[in-house]
Amino acid sequence: MAITVLRSTLCLCSVSSSSNPRQQWTSAPKHRLTSVKSVTSTNPPPSRGVQRRRKNNDENGATVEKVVENPYAKVEAARPDLRKSLSDFLEEARGFVGDGGGPPRWFSPLECAAQAQGSPLLLFVPGIDGTGLGLIRHHKKLGEIFDIWCLHIPVSDRTPAKDLVKLIEKTVKSEHHRFPNRPIYLVGEYIGACLALDVAARNPDIDLSLILVNPATHVNNFISQPLSGMLNVLPDGIPTLLEDIFSVKQGHQLTGMLDALSNNFFGQQMGGVGGGMLRDILAVSTNLPTLGRMFSKDTLLWKLEMLKSAIASVNSHIYPVRAETLILLSGRDQWLLNKEDIDRYSRTLLKCIVRKLDDNGQFPLLEDGVDLATIIKCTSFYRRGKSHDHITDYIMPTTYELKQQVDDHRLLVDSTSPVMLSTLEDGTLVRSLEGLPSEGPVLYVGYHMLLGFDLSPMVNQIMKERNIHLRGLAHPMFFKNPQDSLVDMKMFDKYKMMGGVPVSNFSIYKLLRENAHVLLYPGGVREALHRKGEAYKLFWPERSEFVRVASKFGAKIVPFGVVGVDDICEIVLDSNDQRKIPILKDLMDMATNIAGNIREGDESELGNQDIYLPGIIPKIPGPFYFYFGKPIETAGKEKELKDKEKAHELYLQVKSEVEQCVAYLKMKRESDPYRHLLPRMLYQATHGWASEIPTFHL
């Protein structure tokens, strides 16, 4: 098993429960370490589309060439990211429970040794177990983007909450002094969340980010008082009694049999939720002595008193907190959570995001379905500097995260059988994406389909076929986290996961400076939420907004059009209709106010940006058709395009080519023998479901 080692050389002063103020240095518990083998790849050279070379500029402006692997090459075979289980937690906790005591100290998991240079520091403050292993299922992924330290509080330790706060605070101040520009993340669950809040309240001038998992806001006396009374009457030595009564001593033959049954039968024969649940039950059964020592009678009584003290302290110190905060709430935890308190926290804390985990219980970090690294990505909560930068702080999705995105849109893609056309440098139109430039910077400018149905098929296919990752410019509302939102903000996670950036001229500038492939819809919300009778009509600004910034970096501009939305649905209730219905009008006005109008002051139709959900009737789906025009060069034209009129001429040329692409597709699809669903299904039934369906003649 991959084991953890204690930090004993990096400012690890420990606080003892005694009155002796002398700093104590600790050694690591005895653990077995896994060996690492050097593996030589025997895979064949990558085929077309698996790799591509990308040129970027380093800090000195020199061109650096990198080989970029195509994450889509292994998407279909991707499996959930390998993570440790409850059994691993209990197995490793055994060594911590029997570590001989001592004061609280920090340790760093071995799995977390691969973080990138400049990664922020993450300090994990444990919950009631005190082992510091609460992130064990997340060590590998978090360790790639954070420098992780975990606080271990031995079972026999009786350090008061206020002294634990001082210990954490001293580490925070020390690390802030060493790296003043590096943010520090405090991750705590239950009582650990209270301690983290207390530290933030005492240090409002230090750059902190808080992740609070089921923060303890009150103690449910209906549960805690009977529990306390029951513990007081229980005999001492419960761990020994468990071993004697159930004959489950660690290392016993029965425990080995249960371990084998858990790992082999339930892990392989009964995979999934059912197998995982039974495996966890067996894991608990085989580790009853460990649990008995971890939650001994004296320890539980002490933890209950410390919990009450920590809750009282944080509730009186909540107002000075200035740190940005992410609160994760389990839907099935009613013991230490109070909805009114969480609402108060979300209103009191200046920058607070509340993310609900509806299907999880008391210990979500140890449960399936919770991936802390993914949550951090989807809430734009990761940063290396003073604030989150959607460009430099972006983290590419893992192969399995990409697979989840593909699977979420598989029905749309399969039912619309996207047809991709592009234009080569000599003007030849081909049915492939071969005409798209390989090297950035490139700016893709096109028509926005209703509700953005075009996004997923296009972005996925371009990455799959050309290994090009499009960075889309999206409405800022996708990146907000309002507490009183009318919709579940999780529906916008996919935009942040796939690299979306709030649209602005500065965002275009920064992306093109990074040689990125940038996706821009000048019509924005007005096109994506168009009214009845406005299909394929462009709502672009009167004047150019992207030509001159593209020319500054010599970016290629690729105009494109897409049609097909009118073959999958029909609008029956647009914003004009909804304004005549009082309740829908109020909802639309509220949504528009929350989202904001980035075209406010624009007197053209583009400024009429109502945020609403159109009423649509689905149709039997036809294909989506994409047409990418010939790339327009701007390299060497920066001086010429500084002239507003010249830039406007090029802008009108791009707009005209987008309209021509749309008109061409609308005309040619009429001659497509496979425009309707039945012929497409019959073709795939005879040629294979993965076969490419023919289309009209080019």
Side-chain angles (χ1 to χ4, degrees), residues 101-261:
R105 61 267 199 180
W106 297 100
F107 69 93
S108 185
L110 287 180
E111 303 100 314
C112 303
Q115 74 269 8
Q117 185 177 4
S119 297
L121 176 65
L122 187 151
L123 302 178
F124 176 67
V125 187
I128 195 169
D129 64 283
T131 60
L133 294 171
L135 288 178
I136 191 169
R137 290 175 61 88
H138 311 269
H139 283 164
K140 188 175 184 298
K141 286 184 70 174
L142 288 178
E144 296 174 356
I145 56 178
F146 288 105
D147 180 11
I148 299 180
W149 298 13
C150 303
L151 182 63
H152 171 56
I153 306 172
V155 172
S156 59
D157 181 74
R158 297 295 181 263
T159 303
K162 62 179 181 179
D163 288 339
L164 288 175
V165 169
K166 291 178 182 178
L167 166 64
I168 301 167
E169 180 183 29
K170 190 163 187 177
T171 304
V172 166
K173 287 183 175 180
S174 173
E175 289 303 303
H176 177 67
H177 178 74
R178 292 178 64 215
F179 305 103
N181 297 321
R182 179 171 75 159
I184 299 175
Y185 283 71
L186 291 177
V187 180
E189 59 176 346
Y190 285 118
I191 188 171
C194 294
L195 301 178
L197 274 169
D198 243 350
V199 171
R202 292 161 62 103
N203 298 274
D205 296 328
I206 293 182
D207 187 11
L208 297 174
S209 291
L210 306 180
I211 300 178
L212 311 178
V213 184
N214 288 342
T217 60
H218 82 302
V219 176
N220 189 332
N221 291 327
F222 182 76
I223 298 176
S224 63
Q225 289 180 356
L227 177 62
S228 180
M230 182 180 67
L231 288 171
N232 280 315
V233 300
L234 281 177
D236 296 327
I238 291 296
T240 306
L241 285 175
L242 287 172
E243 292 179 1
D244 294 340
I245 293 172
F246 296 103
S247 299
V248 287
K249 290 185 179 181
Q250 228 74 55
H252 192 275
Q253 184 178 3
L254 176 60
T255 355
M257 292 172 60
L258 289 173
D259 274 335
L261 182 65

Side-chain angles (χ1 to χ4, degrees), residues 68-128:
V68 183
E69 294 289 340
N70 188 349
Y72 260 81
K74 301 178 181 179
V75 158
E76 293 302 326
R79 294 292 180 267
D81 299 309
L82 185 61
R83 299 197 294 168
K84 292 190 175 181
S85 64
L86 177 61
S87 179
D88 295 311
F89 167 78
L90 294 171
E91 179 72 18
E92 296 197 15
R94 185 191 310 171
F96 282 80
V97 170
D99 65 0
R105 61 267 199 180
W106 297 100
F107 69 93
S108 185
L110 287 180
E111 303 100 314
C112 303
Q115 74 269 8
Q117 185 177 4
S119 297
L121 176 65
L122 187 151
L123 302 178
F124 176 67
V125 187
I128 195 169

Side-chain angles (χ1 to χ4, degrees), residues 353-490:
I353 303 171
V354 178
R355 175 65 62 114
K356 296 180 180 179
L357 311 173
D358 296 325
D359 299 326
N360 294 97
Q362 275 74 15
F363 304 102
L365 295 179
L366 291 174
E367 298 176 21
D368 292 331
V370 175
D371 189 323
L372 188 55
T374 299
I375 292 174
I376 290 172
K377 293 179 188 179
C378 291
T379 51
S380 301
F381 205 72
Y382 183 76
R383 59 190 177 92
R384 299 181 181 91
K386 290 295 182 183
S387 61
H388 176 77
D389 188 307
H390 290 279
I391 298 169
T392 59
D393 289 330
Y394 174 65
I395 305 168
M396 276 289 292
T398 64
T399 303
Y400 183 66
E401 288 169 342
L402 278 176
K403 177 176 171 55
Q404 289 179 308
Q405 297 296 319
V406 171
D407 289 344
D408 288 345
H409 299 92
R410 191 177 298 277
L411 179 61
L412 174 66
V413 173
D414 289 347
S415 61
T416 57
S417 307
V419 176
M420 300 282 177
L421 310 177
S422 65
T423 310
L424 303 180
E425 290 185 0
D426 61 2
T428 303
L429 184 62
V430 294
R431 187 184 178 181
S432 72
L433 296 174
E434 188 179 351
L436 301 186
S438 298
E439 300 297 335
V442 182
L443 184 62
Y444 298 80
V445 184
Y447 167 74
H448 209 352
M449 188 180 281
L450 179 69
L451 295 174
F453 283 129
D454 54 318
L455 274 172
S456 177
M458 178 173 65
V459 171
N460 290 345
Q461 188 62 29
I462 289 177
M463 183 177 284
K464 180 179 180 180
E465 186 175 331
R466 294 301 310 277
N467 193 14
I468 293 173
H469 184 205
L470 288 183
R471 301 295 305 273
L473 293 158
H475 195 286
M477 67 178 174
F478 294 160
F479 306 91
K480 294 182 178 181
N481 291 283
Q483 302 303 325
D484 300 323
S485 174
L486 298 175
V487 298
D488 186 354
M489 297 306 292
K490 292 179 185 177

